[in-house]
Short mmCIF file of all heavy atoms in Angstrom, two decimals:
data_model
loop_
_atom_site.label_atom_id
_atom_site.label_comp_id
_atom_site.label_asym_id
_atom_site.label_seq_id
_atom_site.Cartn_x
_atom_site.Cartn_y
_atom_site.Cartn_z
N ALA A 15 -2.96 17.76 -11.10
CA ALA A 15 -3.75 18.92 -11.15
C ALA A 15 -3.28 19.85 -10.11
O ALA A 15 -3.05 19.51 -8.96
CB ALA A 15 -5.21 18.61 -10.97
N GLU A 16 -3.23 21.16 -10.48
CA GLU A 16 -2.84 22.19 -9.52
C GLU A 16 -3.36 23.57 -9.93
O GLU A 16 -3.93 23.68 -11.06
CB GLU A 16 -1.30 22.28 -9.38
CG GLU A 16 -0.56 22.69 -10.58
CD GLU A 16 0.99 22.89 -10.45
OE1 GLU A 16 1.30 23.05 -9.34
OE2 GLU A 16 1.56 22.93 -11.43
N LYS A 17 -3.14 24.46 -9.14
CA LYS A 17 -3.54 25.89 -9.44
C LYS A 17 -2.69 26.27 -10.73
O LYS A 17 -1.60 26.12 -10.70
CB LYS A 17 -3.28 26.82 -8.30
CG LYS A 17 -3.72 28.26 -8.60
CD LYS A 17 -3.82 29.02 -7.21
CE LYS A 17 -2.57 29.39 -6.63
NZ LYS A 17 -1.79 30.55 -7.36
N PRO A 18 -3.43 26.80 -11.78
CA PRO A 18 -2.68 27.25 -12.92
C PRO A 18 -1.50 28.18 -12.61
O PRO A 18 -1.63 29.03 -11.72
CB PRO A 18 -3.74 27.93 -13.76
CG PRO A 18 -4.98 27.63 -13.27
CD PRO A 18 -4.81 27.26 -11.84
N ALA A 19 -0.46 27.91 -13.30
CA ALA A 19 0.77 28.69 -12.99
C ALA A 19 0.65 30.12 -13.23
O ALA A 19 1.30 31.04 -12.57
CB ALA A 19 1.96 28.14 -13.87
N LEU A 20 -0.26 30.53 -14.16
CA LEU A 20 -0.50 32.01 -14.46
C LEU A 20 -1.34 32.72 -13.26
O LEU A 20 -1.52 33.85 -13.46
CB LEU A 20 -1.15 32.13 -15.69
CG LEU A 20 -0.24 32.28 -17.01
CD1 LEU A 20 -1.05 32.59 -18.26
CD2 LEU A 20 0.78 33.47 -16.82
N MET A 21 -2.01 31.90 -12.49
CA MET A 21 -2.79 32.54 -11.45
C MET A 21 -1.92 33.07 -10.31
O MET A 21 -1.08 32.40 -9.78
CB MET A 21 -3.81 31.51 -10.99
CG MET A 21 -5.05 31.55 -11.90
SD MET A 21 -6.46 30.67 -11.18
CE MET A 21 -7.30 32.19 -10.62
N ASN A 22 -2.20 34.24 -9.88
CA ASN A 22 -1.44 34.90 -8.86
C ASN A 22 -1.93 34.30 -7.48
O ASN A 22 -2.94 33.72 -7.49
CB ASN A 22 -1.65 36.41 -8.80
CG ASN A 22 -1.05 37.04 -9.97
OD1 ASN A 22 -0.05 36.68 -10.47
ND2 ASN A 22 -1.68 38.05 -10.53
N ASN A 23 -1.07 34.55 -6.44
CA ASN A 23 -1.36 33.88 -5.23
C ASN A 23 -2.33 34.76 -4.33
O ASN A 23 -2.63 34.35 -3.30
CB ASN A 23 -0.13 33.72 -4.41
CG ASN A 23 0.45 32.30 -4.78
OD1 ASN A 23 -0.25 31.38 -5.02
ND2 ASN A 23 1.81 32.22 -4.82
N VAL A 24 -2.71 35.91 -4.84
CA VAL A 24 -3.69 36.77 -4.08
C VAL A 24 -5.01 36.06 -3.90
O VAL A 24 -5.49 35.34 -4.86
CB VAL A 24 -3.95 38.18 -4.67
CG1 VAL A 24 -2.68 38.98 -4.60
CG2 VAL A 24 -4.29 38.04 -6.07
N ASP A 25 -5.63 36.20 -2.82
CA ASP A 25 -7.00 35.60 -2.63
C ASP A 25 -7.95 36.35 -3.55
O ASP A 25 -7.90 37.61 -3.60
CB ASP A 25 -7.41 35.85 -1.14
CG ASP A 25 -6.64 34.96 -0.25
OD1 ASP A 25 -6.13 33.93 -0.68
OD2 ASP A 25 -6.61 35.28 1.01
N MET A 26 -8.90 35.57 -4.15
CA MET A 26 -9.92 36.13 -5.02
C MET A 26 -10.94 36.66 -4.15
O MET A 26 -11.36 36.10 -3.10
CB MET A 26 -10.30 35.17 -6.01
CG MET A 26 -9.21 34.76 -7.07
SD MET A 26 -9.92 34.08 -8.47
CE MET A 26 -10.12 32.36 -8.23
N HIS A 27 -11.53 37.88 -4.57
CA HIS A 27 -12.58 38.39 -3.79
C HIS A 27 -13.99 37.82 -4.04
O HIS A 27 -14.98 38.18 -3.43
CB HIS A 27 -12.66 39.90 -4.04
CG HIS A 27 -13.27 40.30 -5.44
ND1 HIS A 27 -12.60 39.98 -6.62
CD2 HIS A 27 -14.49 40.63 -5.85
CE1 HIS A 27 -13.35 40.35 -7.60
NE2 HIS A 27 -14.55 40.73 -7.18
#
Side-chain angles (χ1 to χ4, degrees):
Chain A
E16 62 174 342
K17 182 162 77 70
L20 268 184
M21 277 194 99
N22 293 325
N23 273 327
V24 290
D25 287 339
M26 293 204 274
H27 73 285

